[in-house]
Amino acid sequence: MSKQFDVVVIGGGPGGYIAAIRAAQLGFSTACIDEWKNAKNGPAPGGTCTNVGCIPSKALLQSSEHFEHAGHAFAEHGINVKGLELNLGQMLARKDGVVKQNNEGILYLFKKNKVSFFHGRGSFVKGDAGGYEIKVAGATEETISAKHIVLATGSNARELPGAPFDEKLILSNTGALAIDAVPAKLGVIGAGVIGLEMGSVWRRLGAEVSVLEALPTFLGAVDEQIAKEAGKLFAKQGLKVSLGVKIGAITTGKNDVTVEYVDATGAAQKAVYDKLIVSIGRTPNTIGLNGEAVGLKLDERGFIAVDDDCKTNLPNVWAVGDVVRGPMLAHKAEEEGVAVAERIAGQHGHVNFNTIPWVIYTSPEIAWVGKTEQQLKADGVAYKAGTFPFLANGRARALGDTSGMVKFLADAKTDEILGVHIVGPMASELISEAVVAMEFRASAEDIARICHAHPSLSEATKEAALAVDKRSLNF
Ligand code: FAD
Ligand code: NAI
C-alpha cells in the first residue's frame, strides 16, 4: 500500500515549498518531493532560487559590493583601508553557508508545518480524477499517491547551440556563482538580469567584463528613461555592453574561450575570454516527470500548459512557477503556490500579474512595477509622469549614493498610479511602497499626501509622486 496524501507537490523551489506549506496550513496531509542534492548528496530544498539563483547571487553581490566600497567608496568617508585583499575562498564559502542556512530553514519549516519531505525525483506512474500515483526515486524507491498534484519543477539555463555548459569555461548561473579565481577577462552573453548581476559581481572583484547582447536596445523591458540612466551608470563603472551583436562560433581552448560575433556595425569580431557566462534566458524543466504516462499537456514552448488558475489539462493537477507561463521570478512562483493551495481548499486564490515587482540587484539597483512609459504610449493611454533624482535626497547624500531617480506614471485623468520605476540605492526595498499603492489602486496624490520619515530614501518616492502634479518640494 503506497503512502496516501491529500496533496503531493513535485519540486521544492519557492513555488513548490510554499505551496506545500500553505496546503498543510489549510489542513491537507501534504508531501513535497525535491531532488536537489547538496555537496554531500543530502537534500537541499529551495530549488534554483536557494541553491544557484536568488540567494547565492545576492550573497555574492553583497560581498563584492563591500569589497568595492572598501577599495573605493570608503576613502570619501574618511576611512583609509591599507592592504585590502580579496579572499575569494572565504567569500564563496560564506555564500555556500548562506545557501545551507536557507536549505535547513526549509527543512525546518516542513517539520513545523507537518509536510512530509521526500528526497528524490518524482514522476507520474498513473492516475485520473480519483487520484495519482507518483514514484519517488531517491536513495530508495517508493510510490506515494494523492488526489491533488502540484507541479513546481522550475527551469534550467538555456544553452547556445554548439556551446554546451561545461561549468569550467562555458558557465551557466551554476558555474558563474562558483568561479574559484577572478578571471582577468570575463565574457557574458546576454545583457539580461543574470548577465548584469553576475557581470557586476566579477567586475567588482577585478575582472574585465564584456557583455554581448543580441537586441539593439539595452534592457528593453525596463522603462526607457530608467534603462538609459542605468546604462550610463554601468558604463561609468567599467561594464562594457555591446548591443545588437550576432553570436557565431564559440570554441574552447585549454584555458580560454573564443567567441566569434558580428557587431552592430556588421563587422566580424573575435574575442578571447578566460571564462564565458551564457545568460540568454531559461527553459522550463519537465524532464523526468513522465507526464506522458498521464497525458500532461505542454504548450508550444515546452511550458506546462495552464489556465489563469494554474490548472493543467488534467483534473486535480496544477502547475506553478518557472515551469508555467509568466515571469520567471521567485515571488511570482510563491504567489502561485499559495493561490493553488487555496484553490484546492475551495478558496479564491489570487495572483495580480499587474503588480508583480521586478528587481535587478546591480548597483544601483533597478526596480519597477506596472507599465513603462513606452507601454503606455503604445497602448494610447494618456498619462502624467513625475521624476525625482536621488541627488536631491538628503539620505542619499548622507549615504554617498546619489545616482538614479524615482519615476511615477499616473493616469492623466484619474491620477491612478500606472507604473513606478526606480534606479538607485535600495530600489528593491523602495518598490514595495509602490506595489502596495498599486494593489490598493492608489493615486499619485495619495502617496504625495502620506508622511514619509526624514531623512529617508522613501522621501524620493513621495517627491516623485508630488512631481506628477509638478509640485516637488525639494527639486
Ligand atoms: P525552482 O526554484 O527551479 O525549483 C524547482 C525544484 O524542483 C528544484 O529544486 C528541482 O531540483 C526540483 N525538481 C524538478 N523536477 C523534479 C522532479 N521530477 N522530482 C523532484 N524534484 C524536481 N528570482 C527572483 O525573484 N529574485 C531574484 O533575485 C532572482 N535571482 C536569480 C538569480 C539567478 C542566477 C537565477 C538563475 C534565477 C534567479 N531568480 C530570481 C529566478 C528564480 O530563481 C526562479 O524564478 C525561481 O527559483 C522559480 O521557482 P520554482 O519553484 O518555479 O522553480
Ligand atoms: P533574461 O531574459 O533576463 O536575459 C537574457 C538576455 O539575453 C536578453 O537580453 C536577450 O535579448 C539576450 N539574448 C538571448 N539570446 C541571445 C543570443 N543568442 N545572443 C546574445 N544575447 C541573447 O535571462 P537571464 O538573464 O538568463 O535570466 C533568466 C531569468 O531568471 C530572468 O528572466 C529572470 O526571470 C530570472 N532572474 C531574476 C533575477 C532577479 O529577479 N533579480 C536575477 C536573475 C535571474
Side-chain angles (χ1 to χ4, degrees):
M1 210 14 214
S2 67
K3 282 185 196 139
Q4 177 76 38
F5 295 91
D6 297 324
V7 179
V8 166
V9 181
I10 306 183
Y17 91 78
I18 288 291
I21 289 174
R22 186 72 189 117
Q25 282 177 347
L26 289 163
F28 295 112
S29 66
T30 306
C32 182
I33 309 169
D34 188 82
E35 65 179 345
W36 207 292
K37 290 180 185 155
N38 61 22
K40 293 178 180 158
N41 283 332
T48 302
C49 172
T50 301
N51 292 294
V52 289
C54 325
I55 300 299
S57 61
K58 266 80 256 178
L60 288 186
L61 278 156
Q62 188 63 56
S63 299
S64 60
E65 193 163 14
H66 283 325
F67 181 70
E68 185 165 68
H69 282 181
H72 302 286
F74 279 7
E76 188 203 317
H77 292 263
I79 304 166
N80 295 330
V81 180
K82 282 205 185 107
L84 179 69
E85 244 179 61
L86 174 67
N87 181 345
L88 183 58
Q90 166 58 21
M91 198 178 277
L92 295 175
R94 175 187 177 273
K95 178 250 323 174
D96 292 340
V98 174
V99 168
K100 188 163 172 266
Q101 280 171 5
N102 281 272
N103 295 142
E104 285 168 357
I106 295 167
L107 289 171
Y108 161 79
L109 289 171
F110 281 159
K111 259 203 192 118
K112 182 180 162 202
N113 289 282
K114 301 193 172 50
V115 172
S116 301
F117 176 68
F118 292 84
H119 189 211
R121 171 167 289 187
S123 58
F124 282 103
V125 179
K126 61 180 181 185
D128 53 33
Y132 294 85
E133 261 182 41
I134 305 290
K135 181 171 88 177
V136 185
T140 57
E141 207 173 284
E142 61 186 306
T143 303
I144 61 177
S145 48
K147 176 160 182 203
H148 289 274
I149 307 294
V150 182
L151 306 173
T153 47
S155 63
N156 294 316
R158 189 151 74 86
E159 287 183 339
L160 270 173
F165 296 123
D166 59 13
E167 305 298 4
K168 288 193 177 77
L169 291 168
I170 303 179
L171 315 175
S172 71
N173 54 298
T174 302
L177 288 159
I179 305 176
D180 59 8
V182 179
K185 280 181 185 259
L186 174 67
V188 178
I189 300 185
V193 199
I194 295 179
L196 292 175
E197 288 188 357
M198 296 317 302
S200 294
V201 165
W202 295 105
R203 182 199 59 72
R204 290 171 193 166
L205 298 180
E208 184 190 314
V209 180
S210 309
V211 188
L212 302 173
E213 165 62 44
L215 291 179
T217 39
F218 180 59
L219 287 177
V222 176
D223 183 89
E224 262 172 31
Q225 190 182 3
I226 298 289
K228 223 169 140 192
E229 178 74 12
K232 270 196 283 183
L233 294 166
F234 296 151
K236 224 163 112 187
Q237 292 167 2
L239 197 70
K240 283 192 226 143
V241 181
S242 307
L243 300 172
V245 309
K246 198 169 176 329
I247 303 291
I250 297 179
T251 40
T252 51
K254 201 164 166 241
N255 291 311
D256 55 22
V257 195
T258 304
V259 178
E260 291 173 45
Y261 63 96
V262 178
D263 71 17
T265 69
Q269 303 284 356
K270 200 184 236 188
V272 182
Y273 305 112
D274 299 304
K275 304 268 181 197
L276 178 71
I277 297 174
V278 177
S279 47
I280 55 165
R282 299 179 61 82
T283 54
N285 172 29
T286 52
I287 305 159
L289 258 184
N290 197 25
E292 310 79 49
V294 283
L296 179 71
K297 208 173 131 197
L298 306 185
D299 69 16
E300 60 288 351
R301 295 184 305 149
F303 290 87
I304 297 176
V306 287
D307 66 8
D308 289 349
D309 287 346
C310 291
K311 276 187 187 141
T312 69
N313 66 312
L314 302 171
N316 302 328
V317 179
W318 313 73
V320 300
D322 279 12
V323 78
V324 304
R325 83 291 170 262
M328 288 184 165
L329 296 173
H331 41 285
K332 176 265 194 182
E334 292 184 13
E335 291 298 299
E336 287 183 333
V338 168
V340 159
E342 293 178 350
R343 285 171 195 140
I344 292 173
Q347 299 180 2
H348 293 282
H350 167 78
V351 181
N352 184 353
F353 274 83
N354 296 321
T355 54
I356 294 176
W358 278 85
V359 179
I360 307 177
Y361 293 82
T362 42
S363 182
E365 294 179 346
I366 303 169
W368 72 98
V369 58
K371 301 278 187 200
T372 60
E373 197 164 348
Q374 62 268 27
Q375 280 173 330
L376 294 177
K377 278 187 187 146
D379 296 348
V381 177
Y383 64 91
K384 300 176 285 182
T387 57
F388 187 82
F390 283 104
L391 198 64
N393 174 272
R395 183 74 193 280
R397 287 192 195 125
L399 288 172
D401 197 351
T402 52
S403 54
M405 70 179 95
V406 180
K407 172 173 179 176
F408 264 66
L409 296 167
D411 188 281
K413 268 207 195 108
T414 64
D415 197 37
E416 180 175 345
I417 302 166
L418 303 174
V420 177
H421 306 270
I422 307 174
V423 53
M426 301 308 273
S428 55
E429 300 295 333
L430 294 175
I431 201 65
S432 287
E433 179 180 7
V435 176
V436 173
M438 285 185 65
E439 194 64 59
F440 284 93
R441 301 196 61 182
S443 64
E445 188 184 350
D446 288 328
I447 298 298
R449 284 186 179 279
I450 290 172
C451 180
H452 288 65
H454 176 75
S456 71
L457 295 170
S458 72
E459 287 173 293
T461 307
K462 175 180 170 140
E463 289 276 3
L466 279 165
V468 168
D469 201 24
K470 298 196 173 38
R471 56 190 189 95
S472 290
L473 295 163
N474 284 287
F475 188 63

